[in-house]
Amino acid sequence: MSRSSLGRSFIAIFVASIFTVSVNAQTPAATPTDPDKKPIKAKVESNNAFKRWVAEDAGPIITDAEKRAYLALTTDEERENFIQDFWNRRDPTPDTEENEYREAYYERTTYANEHFASGIPGSKTDRGRIYIRWGKPDEVESHPSGGAYDKASYEGGGSATTYPFERWFYRHLDGVGDGIEIEFVDQTGSGEYRLASDLNEKIMIVGPRQQTDAIASYLREQDRPFNVIDRFKNLNSPPPIKYSGLPGTKIETGVLGPNPIGLDLQIGFFSQSDDRVVTTFTVQTNNKDLKFESVGGLETAMLNVVGRLSSVAGRPAGSFEDSVTTSATTDELTSVKDRRSIYQRVVPMSPGIYRADVMVRDVRTGNIGVVKMGFTVPKYDPKKLSTSSLVLATTLRPTDSTEIGNRFVVGNMKLVPNLSGIYKPGQPVGVYMQVYNAGTDETTLRPSVDVEYVVLKDGKQISSTTEDWNGLSDSSQRLTLSRLLPTEGLKPGDYEVKIIAKDRVSGQKVENTAGFTVAK
């Protein structure tokens, strides 16, 4: 099995069938069992393969936290998903199908096994582990036979006889430092080179000019005991995890950083065709978490927004990256900081299960907010009455020709979502939804649908408004429902809006709900 196949299902089934026929002189012979009908005893050994993965394959680079999380998993499906995520977190180019880090890792493992074996697999030797973990050194100085050696001044000077040894040089290693020199020494002559913890481990016999106390006077900074201990520890630790597009962060649900940015993510779905769904990713941040500075007479905050979309199997499914600004005059700044900024990106996607990793970064402070969210892009049945996501909006109006293609434009409507769902007293609640696959009336040759907008409080109906299909159809069997629901007369508190659509032709009925709050 090739290394690249790891992370998939590993199932080996062994079948043992023993058929015996007994003949008794006093009784009729037993009828032989048909092998094709005999139950098959199978033993699934996938767990052993997964144990090998965490102990051997991922051993040099898996962190302690990752290992604890992996060992706590209970199903092979969970382990497969973990392995996929494990490699995704290290992929330098998540927008491509290939994972260059994983491919290079297994190539290094193969090289280590071929070149560093010494009675044990090369990947288990010190040289093998360093090579697999940190890659090919920039320079290698090899002394395969040992022997006479003139020591450098930082080694104390003089001459010596050494064991076979190698010196590897790395210009830079993340998490370790710059100008890294590593020595491996074969003190047993077996071909197994051990990682040396100090400069003297390679010395077999001291020459006549050797000064026993000179080395302490000439030590380089990197060779001082405490620095050697730190370097030795870091070399034997997994390399830092890099997640492209999310610098310096660890992906978790919620927000990160010493001064994190509070943000919300809302994902909406609108049918485009039988196999494509317009998927909206709306990100909302709190302005109070942003740094405003004067630019051209306006107080301006600058953000980077990065999104990575992946399938449940870990394959890249899309991405977006934009720079966003929020501006206000000096007089407006106080009130603007009490508001929120909103950003949206539209991505056509195929039906399926996905994951979104979205980061917002304040350019000036470096503060970061991260949200990780799983979502399912629905498959719309062309024979079934269905709806898009129900969107609550702060802005809902027809667009003009100059706004086509801009953000927050869906169909022929300017639609700015309200992710918090909070409205001021008297502020109308914008609701937007599309209805698909309504039956066509044979007389008018247009969809025939009754629509009801219901406002509820604690499950009890407060108000209801109805309308028929007239004026609602904007594309064949797609109906666009957009309305501003008044909040006059509603006391502060939590409410729910329910939109019910009934197809007069087929009798099918669909409904969608969303909660909103009238503030005090």
Side-chain angles (χ1 to χ4, degrees):
M1 180 180 295
S2 66
R3 292 284 185 181
S4 61
S5 65
L6 286 168
R8 304 174 185 168
S9 297
F10 299 86
I11 300 178
I13 300 179
F14 298 93
V15 181
S17 300
I18 302 176
F19 301 98
T20 59
V21 180
S22 298
V23 180
N24 190 301
Q26 281 75 35
T27 60
T31 303
T33 303
D34 185 345
D36 293 333
K37 296 181 180 180
K38 185 177 179 65
I40 296 177
K41 296 181 180 180
K43 180 181 179 181
V44 179
E45 296 188 343
S46 57
N47 283 340
N48 291 334
F50 285 114
K51 289 178 181 178
R52 288 194 298 272
W53 180 84
V54 71
E56 299 177 12
D57 290 77
I61 60 172
I62 192 169
T63 66
D64 290 340
E66 286 177 318
K67 189 172 183 178
R68 286 194 299 270
Y70 183 85
L71 295 176
L73 301 177
T74 58
T75 68
D76 285 354
E77 182 179 2
E78 290 176 340
R79 296 181 184 99
E80 287 188 32
N81 290 334
F82 180 98
I83 293 172
Q84 186 65 48
D85 288 340
F86 175 88
W87 294 118
N88 287 343
R89 285 192 293 273
R90 293 161 170 82
D91 188 356
T93 57
D95 294 335
T96 63
E97 187 170 338
E98 294 79 13
N99 187 324
E100 293 83 357
Y101 183 94
R102 180 178 57 196
E103 297 303 320
Y105 177 81
Y106 283 123
E107 287 177 2
R108 294 198 298 266
T109 301
T110 300
Y111 182 92
N113 283 325
E114 291 176 351
H115 292 80
F116 303 136
S118 58
I120 60 175
S123 58
K124 294 184 179 297
T125 66
D126 284 359
R127 286 188 299 173
R129 278 191 292 266
I130 294 297
Y131 189 91
I132 293 169
R133 185 177 287 137
W134 302 106
K136 181 180 179 180
D138 295 301
E139 297 178 19
V140 175
E141 179 184 333
S142 181
H143 300 264
S145 301
Y149 175 71
D150 291 330
K151 303 182 70 176
S153 59
Y154 59 82
E155 296 175 298
S159 62
T161 301
T162 68
Y163 297 104
F165 75 96
E166 286 186 0
R167 182 180 292 138
W168 291 10
F169 177 78
Y170 290 92
R171 293 186 180 88
H172 174 78
L173 294 178
D174 289 342
V176 182
D178 298 319
I180 304 301
E181 282 187 3
I182 310 170
E183 287 190 349
F184 301 92
V185 181
D186 177 13
Q187 293 185 339
T188 63
S190 64
E192 183 176 350
Y193 287 71
R194 297 282 188 176
L195 179 61
S197 58
D198 67 60
L199 297 173
N200 284 323
E201 287 193 23
K202 62 179 175 293
I203 305 301
M204 179 188 301
I205 302 173
V206 177
R209 294 184 292 119
Q210 174 66 28
Q211 300 295 320
T212 57
D213 59 349
I215 189 168
S217 302
Y218 291 92
L219 278 179
R220 298 171 298 180
E221 184 66 25
Q222 68 189 55
D223 299 322
R224 297 194 177 279
F226 286 109
N227 292 337
V228 171
I229 291 172
D230 286 342
R231 184 169 67 250
F232 196 84
K233 175 184 175 182
N234 293 334
L235 284 170
N236 283 286
S237 299
I241 298 174
K242 292 183 178 181
Y243 190 94
S244 181
L246 303 175
T249 69
K250 176 183 176 184
I251 300 301
E252 297 288 353
T253 301
V255 295
L256 305 178
N259 297 292
I261 297 175
L263 66 113
D264 295 306
L265 171 65
Q266 184 183 83
I267 304 175
F269 310 103
F270 302 87
S271 178
Q272 184 179 48
S273 63
D274 290 347
D275 60 351
R276 299 297 280 176
V277 176
V278 172
T279 307
T280 59
F281 298 87
T282 307
V283 179
Q284 185 173 266
T285 62
N286 297 319
N287 287 345
K288 65 181 180 181
D289 297 330
L290 309 180
K291 176 70 172 178
F292 285 81
E293 292 183 355
S294 180
V295 177
L298 290 176
E299 298 295 324
T300 304
M302 302 176 63
L303 299 174
N304 289 332
V305 182
V306 178
R308 296 286 182 263
L309 312 177
S310 57
S311 69
V312 70
R315 290 184 177 275
S319 64
F320 51 87
E321 186 167 352
D322 281 297
S323 296
V324 183
T325 60
T326 297
S327 301
T329 65
T330 303
D331 294 337
E332 295 172 334
L333 184 58
T334 301
S335 60
V336 167
K337 282 191 172 182
D338 292 331
R339 302 174 192 168
R340 296 177 175 87
S341 294
I342 194 166
Y343 161 88
Q344 186 178 84
R345 175 58 74 92
V346 176
V347 181
M349 303 186 72
S350 299
I353 302 174
Y354 299 90
R355 186 186 73 187
D357 294 294
V358 177
M359 179 198 76
V360 173
R361 179 177 180 271
D362 189 325
V363 173
R364 293 193 172 94
T365 65
N367 292 340
I368 290 174
V370 177
V371 171
K372 175 180 176 180
M373 181 181 294
F375 62 98
T376 300
V377 177
K379 182 173 180 60
Y380 290 99
D381 187 340
K383 297 181 180 180
K384 185 177 180 180
L385 188 71
S386 55
T387 74
S388 70
S389 299
L390 170 57
V391 180
L392 299 182
T394 54
T395 300
L396 183 62
R397 59 173 174 78
T399 58
D400 57 43
S401 58
T402 63
E403 295 178 304
I404 296 176
N406 291 350
R407 293 195 179 106
F408 306 112
V409 174
V410 179
N412 60 355
M413 299 296 297
K414 179 74 171 183
L415 173 64
V416 180
N418 183 347
L419 270 64
S420 67
I422 300 175
Y423 294 84
K424 299 177 181 178
Q427 180 185 7
V429 177
V431 293
Y432 180 94
M433 189 175 77
Q434 294 178 357
V435 179
Y436 310 116
N437 309 316
T440 303
D441 185 281
E442 294 183 358
T443 302
T444 63
L445 300 180
R446 300 190 66 186
S448 182
V449 176
D450 290 325
V451 180
E452 182 179 10
Y453 302 86
V454 182
V455 176
L456 303 102
K457 172 70 172 173
D458 298 327
K460 297 180 180 180
Q461 181 173 315
I462 302 297
S463 65
S464 175
T465 306
T466 60
E467 65 183 359
D468 61 22
W469 56 270
N470 290 322
L472 299 180
S473 176
D474 58 10
S475 177
S476 182
Q477 292 179 298
R478 183 180 69 192
L479 309 178
T480 296
L481 311 180
S482 59
R483 175 169 285 237
L484 295 174
L485 302 179
T487 59
E488 287 85 356
L490 296 182
K491 297 179 180 181
D494 297 328
Y495 294 85
E496 188 177 51
V497 59
K498 178 187 293 185
I499 301 181
I500 305 170
K502 183 176 181 180
D503 184 353
R504 294 179 184 175
V505 177
S506 67
Q508 296 181 78
K509 183 174 72 172
V510 291
E511 60 183 52
N512 216 334
T513 61
F516 69 94
T517 300
V518 177
K520 296 182 179 180

